[in-house]
Amino acid sequence: MRSVAVAVGAGAAALAAAVATRGGRTRLPRLPLRTLCGANATKEVIDPPPPKKIKVALCQLAVTDDKQRNIATARTAIDEAAGAGADLVVLPEMWNCPYSNDSFPTYAEEVGGSIPERCDGRLYNTCFVYGRDGRLLGRHRKVHLFDIDIPGKITFKESLTLTPGEGLTVVDTEVGRLGIGICYDIRFPEMAQLYAARGVQLIVYPGAFNMTTGPAHWELLQKARAVDNQLFVATCSPARSEGPGYIAWGHSTAVGPFAEILGTADEKAGIVYCEMDFGQLAERRANMPLRHQKRSDLYALMDLTR
């Protein structure tokens, strides 16, 4: 199996390297994080690392109520993506369990993600970023919890079981500088703007939009975050299951800095492959210099996390 450079959203590299499983609990390495958050960041725009061309794989997985089956499905997808030459592999939001408040406590891990993460008696919706060697590079706990009520359509309140994260997550990896969000995080443009100011080249959003908001907003929000900030955006959803309970929209997608669709899926399980050339970022920003045209004398975005 070819080694994957970076894996997002599931302890993916660790799975690809044969994670040991005992008693139904996945044992992932407890290793130091490498992020650009808090006191390590500056108030100025941070230059990104040198541009690269990378191949991205978005693994839209079929999720069941069988945790071990979900782990096996994820590992198979990672293996396939690695064999196809992917530099970055992304798994969906809550890939190891059904998307429900009843499932989150039962399927929670001490380390994992984007799965329910258990830590100090609390549950988080957490995405982990792993390097080629399985080393844990970063961890993002979903900042904005999915609490909505659309009468006659969908009602869901993550806050009944989950705790919101308290910071942004920017991770320097072999493939480039990544900003991480999870699903509902994509609706908040300020978060993406702060990522852009920190030199992020690609924002990755594992997500599971539903059958009401998915058709209306899923692609729209991805394009908006990409074009507003002149960077790449990738989303990865579970495949659609027509059974009872929460039904995901699917349609994992990658978007370029000019809002162009680089690759997308339908509702079924599968892997979306696409090429990203981070060299395009400088070109797009030179053609349309939005950063230099902002009226800082009229408005400004304050980063309170630094």
Side-chain angles (χ1 to χ4, degrees):
M1 181 184 72
R2 179 183 179 275
S3 177
V4 181
V6 177
V8 176
L15 281 170
V19 174
T21 304
R22 300 177 184 173
R25 180 173 298 280
T26 308
R27 301 295 182 183
L28 300 180
R30 295 178 180 272
L31 296 171
L33 307 184
R34 183 183 176 207
T35 64
L36 296 177
C37 298
N40 293 328
T42 65
K43 294 183 179 181
E44 296 78 23
V45 173
I46 301 173
D47 291 331
K52 291 185 177 182
K53 293 182 180 180
I54 65 171
K55 184 174 183 178
V56 178
L58 309 176
C59 300
Q60 185 163 289
L61 307 180
V63 178
T64 72
D65 59 2
D66 184 334
K67 185 175 184 179
Q68 296 309 313
R69 180 179 176 183
N70 295 334
I71 292 172
T73 298
R75 181 167 180 165
T76 298
I78 295 164
D79 196 358
E80 180 179 336
D87 300 298
L88 174 68
V89 177
V90 184
L91 299 192
E93 181 183 25
M94 295 296 183
W95 63 270
N96 80 325
C97 71
Y99 196 95
S100 72
N101 282 314
D102 291 338
S103 297
F104 298 157
T106 304
Y107 290 73
E109 299 279 0
E110 294 179 1
V111 178
S114 169
I115 63 173
E117 178 203 10
R118 190 186 307 277
C119 181
D120 296 330
R122 296 181 177 182
L123 296 178
Y124 299 89
N125 185 343
T126 304
C127 175
F128 285 74
V129 182
Y130 289 86
R132 184 190 301 274
D133 58 359
R135 187 168 62 93
L136 181 59
L137 302 179
R139 171 177 56 200
H140 177 74
R141 289 170 173 167
K142 191 172 186 176
V143 172
H144 305 93
L145 295 185
F146 181 58
D147 283 11
I148 69 166
D149 184 9
I150 304 177
K153 297 291 186 178
I154 181 172
T155 298
F156 201 101
K157 296 188 182 300
E158 281 188 326
S159 62
L160 293 177
T161 55
L162 301 178
T163 300
E166 297 181 349
L168 307 185
T169 307
V170 180
V171 189
D172 273 335
T173 74
E174 293 182 47
V175 300
R177 184 167 295 166
L178 308 182
I180 311 298
I182 298 177
C183 200
Y184 205 53
D185 285 339
I186 200 174
R187 289 190 176 273
F188 297 86
E190 297 86 355
M191 182 174 175
Q193 290 172 39
L194 292 179
Y195 279 157
R198 295 186 187 185
V200 162
Q201 296 159 305
L202 165 64
I203 305 179
V204 180
Y205 295 99
F209 269 40
N210 55 75
M211 297 298 293
T212 298
T213 61
H217 300 153
W218 180 243
E219 185 176 302
L220 171 68
L221 289 167
Q222 295 171 59
K223 288 184 173 182
R225 298 295 82 82
V227 75
D228 284 351
N229 299 287
Q230 297 175 309
L231 43 67
F232 290 87
V233 168
T235 62
C236 191
S237 169
R240 188 180 306 170
S241 172
E242 298 294 352
Y246 190 94
I247 301 176
W249 170 239
H251 295 270
S252 300
T253 303
V255 181
F258 209 62
E260 68 275 29
I261 298 295
L262 305 177
T264 190
D266 54 18
E267 76 282 3
K268 297 183 290 294
I271 301 178
V272 178
Y273 295 100
C274 68
E275 304 285 341
M276 292 185 180
D277 181 359
F278 291 160
Q280 291 182 12
L281 300 182
E283 177 184 350
R284 293 299 185 189
R285 291 166 183 174
N287 294 342
M288 194 177 296
L290 301 180
R291 291 185 178 184
H292 303 292
Q293 295 169 335
K294 289 185 176 181
R295 291 290 304 273
S296 57
D297 58 321
L298 300 179
Y299 54 83
L301 179 64
M302 183 179 296
D303 189 344
L304 300 178
T305 66
R306 291 187 281 188

